[in-house]
Amino acid sequence: MNIVANVYRGGIVESSHLGHVAVVDAAGNLLYSYGDPHRLTFARSAMKPLQTIPVVETGTADQFVFEDADLSLCCASHSGELRHRTRAMGILERAGKGEELLQCGTHVPRDEESYRQLILDGRELTPIYSNCSGKHSGMIATAVHMGEDPATYHLESHPVQQRILEVIADIMCYPKEQIATAIDGCGVPVHQLPLVNIAYGFARMAKPETIGNDTRRAAVQRVTEAMMAAPEMVGGKKRYCTDLMNAFEGRLFGKAGAEAVYCIGDKATGLGIAIKIEDGSPRATYAVMNEVLRQLGIGTGGALDDAALSSHTNPDVLNMSGQRVGKIEAQFLLQKVNEKIIIVKN
Amino acid sequence: MNIVANVYRGGIVESSHLGHVAVVDAAGNLLYSYGDPHRLTFARSAMKPLQTIPVVETGTADQFVFEDADLSLCCASHSGELRHRTRAMGILERAGKGEELLQCGTHVPRDEESYRQLILDGRELTPIYSNCSGKHSGMIATAVHMGEDPATYHLESHPVQQRILEVIADIMCYPKEQIATAIDGCGVPVHQLPLVNIAYGFARMAKPETIGNDTRRAAVQRVTEAMMAAPEMVGGKKRYCTDLMNAFEGRLFGKAGAEAVYCIGDKATGLGIAIKIEDGSPRATYAVMNEVLRQLGIGTGGALDDAALSSHTNPDVLNMSGQRVGKIEAQFLLQKVNEKIIIVKN
């Protein structure tokens, strides 16, 4: 049983999470694994850095003067804070469009204060509050820049989505025709690939010299550097993605995906890491990723001890009065594998 | 792998839940199982019907003129609707106490309209909004009735909690000294027992003639009948507990527990059913329980087809625009066991 984390109440295991880990280098070697590293996985929002590459490649980012923070917001599952909403609106405005084009739907934002203020103002939730509004704004801007229909950018057949599919297939080195798709929580296509390929894609983004095409290599570099330059845009207050990239100061870029996915690219080692909790429950994801980093020696005795980041390591389970009544503990041992698993095309 | 439910995105399994099922009769026979029916489990709020038994046994319910709806609310994980808050306040008032004694802590209630109104009124969350406020009000009333300190009713050493432990050990036929405890989300003790014993307790409550003690038998009968007479108090609008008991009209009583537990007693067959999803994620729990009922032939072609109840069978996964993008599907086959597993003391 590939348990990755146990949830304790008192000293007793109350619930357990199974999971899968793949650690791959930029040459296509699977170095460490746990569970099934070949598990076919929808990386969900962990794909956002790849979905943002066409925003740069097409020239959209240049035309609409995207700052690092704008590109970082395109890669975000943000908390809906004022700074996130303002920046998403800014992208739409520079593209000459409005919020009504956003197809991401609505949900209560993570930022409680923003939600409270909305209710007090007698306003209703709108798509700009969606954690995906940055990504969608970038997609709309791209459609405008390319002279494509900005109203149907979310459909799989639209060139905006077709470009993303091509980027994923290329960087993750997986045949386009073998990538199964479905619809994400925000209405755009999601792509299913083996976990090893997802990790491999993050390794290549961490070592962009492995990407042959000059335009693509430059775009990858600009997007990942934007994430690390403006980590507060990728998540928000007390969010793992933000805390991770703040702590590692330009070394790592990381992104969470729904249904308990997390992906990291490490520029120092050139490793890509992808994890998936089998049951899709997000609560153990960050504790598991911090434990993977610890076992790989990435940031141990340094960035990994950062106060904000280490608050995600084996977090407390609190009761409704704020009393500590248990904990979530990552418990697994990565296995050394060292097998060549990917035919590198470039 | 004891998978009980798969979560589909499009036609593809995105995540999977493991789980355990025990179906036991009131004579102590394990009739059907899945996964590990002996799994040591905190039943959490599924224990509320048992925690309510002392409210009746001690004479508290009579002294403070509890109606069925009051006892049902003591068994509740309610949504914090006005009717729930009003009734919990009523119990406290008749016991001569106020909300400030509630030790359950606070959380955002499930009933969105109640929360919205609270913010609009400029008020803060208070413990009466907690899904456990009915149970805690019953515990305070019991302490008052018994002349015990009503301020420390939540502590394990308090007679209120000691009486509950004795009831659980007796009805579930498990040695008191072997029951491990921890602290629940609402601050009171929780009790760890094998899933088979939890199911057995519900079977005995469904067939109270198996309970030797006259006072206890009458209390069990009154509590379970109160739940079935006022199902809207146990949960609320669009809640499984409420929908289940409304559909089965006095045949079944059922209660959910945190970390994905569900327990049912069936008065028609005398069966007790207990399920636990291994990862503690609640989203598949009701689909799994409806599938257990279907395989046992309980309510098939009748109550199980009720519109509200069957909305919990293999529920849709929706995206943020309300579009159906997947489903949760219970997928397992109960195994016929038929082994005597419990030494019945009475």
Side-chain angles (χ1 to χ4, degrees):
Chain A
M1 291 275 280
N2 49 314
I3 290 175
V4 286
N6 287 306
V7 180
Y8 288 82
R9 184 160 297 270
I12 295 167
V13 174
E14 179 168 27
S15 301
S16 298
H17 297 284
L18 308 188
H20 314 281
V21 184
V23 182
V24 177
D25 69 17
N29 299 299
L30 175 65
L31 300 181
Y32 297 91
S33 77
Y34 189 77
D36 176 11
H38 301 277
R39 186 189 188 284
L40 285 164
T41 303
F42 288 123
R44 306 288 300 272
S45 284
M47 285 293 194
K48 279 173 177 162
L50 291 103
Q51 291 169 310
T52 303
I53 289 169
V55 178
V56 177
E57 281 186 347
T58 54
T60 307
D62 288 333
Q63 189 193 340
F64 298 126
V65 287
F66 275 56
E67 299 175 356
D68 278 345
D70 294 312
L71 282 174
S72 188
L73 189 76
C74 290
C75 302
S77 299
H78 64 70
S79 295
E81 300 165 15
L82 182 59
R83 56 183 169 179
H84 302 133
R85 291 163 6 234
T86 308
R87 202 162 273 279
M89 284 306 287
I91 294 173
L92 288 171
E93 278 163 19
R94 294 201 299 284
K97 297 294 169 189
E99 195 184 354
E100 72 286 352
L101 280 186
L102 289 172
Q103 298 294 329
C104 45
T106 58
H107 63 86
V108 174
R110 274 175 192 262
D111 184 44
E112 285 179 25
E113 195 38 49
S114 290
Y115 188 50
R116 199 182 178 85
Q117 196 56 54
L118 174 111
I119 293 174
L120 285 173
D121 294 348
R123 289 180 291 125
E124 295 293 324
L125 279 173
T126 62
I128 206 81
Y129 282 84
S130 159
N131 76 83
C132 302
S133 65
K135 178 177 77 173
H136 284 248
S137 299
M139 290 174 172
I140 290 170
T142 305
V144 170
H145 171 73
M146 298 297 287
E148 297 154 1
D149 178 15
T152 55
Y153 71 90
H154 59 298
L155 301 179
E156 191 163 1
S157 56
H158 194 283
V160 160
Q161 302 304 333
Q162 286 301 308
R163 277 189 291 269
I164 288 168
L165 174 61
E166 191 275 319
V167 164
I168 290 171
D170 174 45
I171 293 186
M172 297 190 162
C173 215
Y174 199 70
K176 209 161 95 168
E177 54 283 3
Q178 284 181 37
I179 298 178
T181 61
I183 301 172
D184 208 343
C186 67
V188 299
V190 281
H191 311 89
Q192 190 198 37
L193 289 91
L195 205 57
V196 286
N197 287 76
I198 296 167
Y200 176 54
F202 274 76
R204 294 186 78 198
M205 291 195 291
K207 253 184 145 54
E209 55 270 36
T210 59
I211 295 170
N213 176 308
D214 289 349
T215 310
R216 179 145 301 166
R217 186 171 57 246
V220 164
Q221 197 121 13
R222 184 162 167 200
V223 168
T224 55
E225 279 171 8
M227 291 173 76
M228 295 186 287
E232 73 283 1
M233 284 297 143
V234 180
K237 284 173 277 186
K238 295 190 180 174
R239 295 285 303 279
Y240 182 77
C241 290
T242 299
D243 294 342
L244 175 81
M245 288 189 281
N246 274 333
F248 275 93
E249 295 178 310
R251 174 176 173 176
L252 298 186
F253 51 92
K255 185 65 192 74
E259 294 288 325
V261 172
Y262 207 90
C263 299
I264 278 180
D266 175 14
K267 293 192 73 74
T269 61
L271 293 180
I273 308 168
I275 66 175
K276 161 76 183 176
I277 311 289
E278 179 59 34
D279 59 71
S281 165
R283 66 178 170 182
T285 314
Y286 311 132
V288 170
M289 187 49 103
N290 276 0
E291 176 62 14
V292 170
L293 294 175
R294 194 192 67 74
Q295 290 186 30
L296 295 175
I298 296 175
T300 42
L304 208 49
D305 299 336
D306 170 83
L309 179 57
S310 61
S311 73
H312 303 276
T313 304
N314 300 341
D316 291 341
V317 172
L318 304 177
N319 72 10
M320 296 304 171
S321 302
Q323 183 191 5
R324 182 179 186 275
V325 294
K327 63 176 172 180
I328 300 174
E329 195 163 299
Q331 293 179 324
F332 62 93
L333 207 56
L334 289 175
Q335 291 180 287
K336 209 165 163 48
V337 190
N338 217 352
E339 64 184 48
K340 187 86 182 171
I341 44 91
I342 295 160
I343 312 298
V344 182
K345 289 185 300 192
N346 296 307
Chain B
M1 293 276 281
N2 48 314
I3 289 174
V4 285
N6 287 308
V7 181
Y8 288 82
R9 184 160 297 270
I12 295 168
V13 174
E14 178 167 27
S15 301
S16 298
H17 297 284
L18 307 188
H20 314 281
V21 184
V23 183
V24 177
D25 70 18
N29 299 299
L30 175 63
L31 300 181
Y32 297 91
S33 78
Y34 190 77
D36 176 10
H38 300 279
R39 186 190 189 283
L40 284 165
T41 304
F42 288 123
R44 307 287 300 271
S45 284
M47 284 294 194
K48 279 173 177 162
L50 290 102
Q51 291 170 309
T52 303
I53 289 168
V55 178
V56 177
E57 280 187 348
T58 55
T60 307
D62 287 334
Q63 190 192 339
F64 298 125
V65 287
F66 275 56
E67 298 175 355
D68 278 345
D70 294 312
L71 282 174
S72 188
L73 189 76
C74 290
C75 301
S77 300
H78 63 71
S79 295
E81 299 164 14
L82 182 59
R83 56 184 170 180
H84 302 134
R85 288 155 19 225
T86 308
R87 202 163 271 280
M89 284 305 288
I91 294 173
L92 287 170
E93 277 163 18
R94 294 201 300 284
K97 298 295 169 190
E99 195 185 353
E100 71 286 355
L101 281 185
L102 289 171
Q103 298 294 329
C104 44
T106 57
H107 63 85
V108 174
R110 274 176 192 263
D111 183 44
E112 285 178 25
E113 193 38 49
S114 290
Y115 187 51
R116 199 181 178 86
Q117 196 56 54
L118 174 112
I119 293 174
L120 286 174
D121 294 349
R123 290 180 290 123
E124 295 293 325
L125 279 172
T126 62
I128 207 80
Y129 282 85
S130 159
N131 75 83
C132 302
S133 65
K135 178 177 77 172
H136 284 249
S137 298
M139 289 175 174
I140 290 171
T142 305
V144 170
H145 171 73
M146 298 297 287
E148 298 155 359
D149 179 14
T152 55
Y153 71 90
H154 58 299
L155 301 178
E156 191 163 1
S157 56
H158 194 284
V160 161
Q161 302 304 333
Q162 286 299 309
R163 277 189 292 269
I164 288 168
L165 174 61
E166 191 275 319
V167 165
I168 290 171
D170 174 44
I171 293 185
M172 296 189 162
C173 217
Y174 199 70
K176 209 161 95 168
E177 54 282 1
Q178 286 182 35
I179 298 178
T181 61
I183 301 172
D184 208 342
C186 67
V188 299
V190 281
H191 310 89
Q192 191 199 37
L193 289 91
L195 206 57
V196 283
N197 287 76
I198 296 167
Y200 176 53
F202 274 76
R204 294 186 77 198
M205 292 195 291
K207 252 185 145 56
E209 55 270 34
T210 60
I211 296 170
N213 177 308
D214 288 351
T215 311
R216 180 145 302 166
R217 186 170 57 247
V220 164
Q221 197 121 15
R222 186 164 165 198
V223 167
T224 54
E225 278 171 8
M227 291 173 76
M228 294 185 288
E232 72 284 1
M233 285 295 144
V234 180
K237 283 173 279 187
K238 295 189 180 176
R239 295 286 303 279
Y240 182 77
C241 289
T242 299
D243 294 342
L244 175 80
M245 289 189 280
N246 273 333
F248 275 94
E249 294 179 311
R251 174 176 173 176
L252 299 187
F253 51 93
K255 184 67 192 72
E259 295 288 325
V261 172
Y262 207 91
C263 298
I264 278 179
D266 175 15
K267 293 191 74 72
T269 60
L271 293 180
I273 309 168
I275 66 174
K276 160 78 183 174
I277 311 289
E278 180 59 35
D279 59 72
S281 166
R283 67 179 169 182
T285 314
Y286 311 133
V288 170
M289 187 49 104
N290 276 1
E291 176 62 14
V292 170
L293 293 175
R294 195 193 64 77
Q295 290 187 30
L296 294 174
I298 295 175
T300 41
L304 209 49
D305 299 335
D306 170 83
L309 179 57
S310 61
S311 73
H312 303 276
T313 304
N314 302 341
D316 291 342
V317 173
L318 303 178
N319 71 10
M320 297 305 171
S321 302
Q323 181 191 7
R324 183 179 186 276
V325 292
K327 63 177 173 179
I328 301 175
E329 194 162 299
Q331 291 180 325
F332 62 94
L333 206 56
L334 289 175
Q335 291 180 284
K336 210 165 163 48
V337 190
N338 218 351
E339 64 185 50
K340 186 85 181 171
I341 44 93
I342 294 159
I343 312 298
V344 182
K345 290 185 300 192
N346 297 305

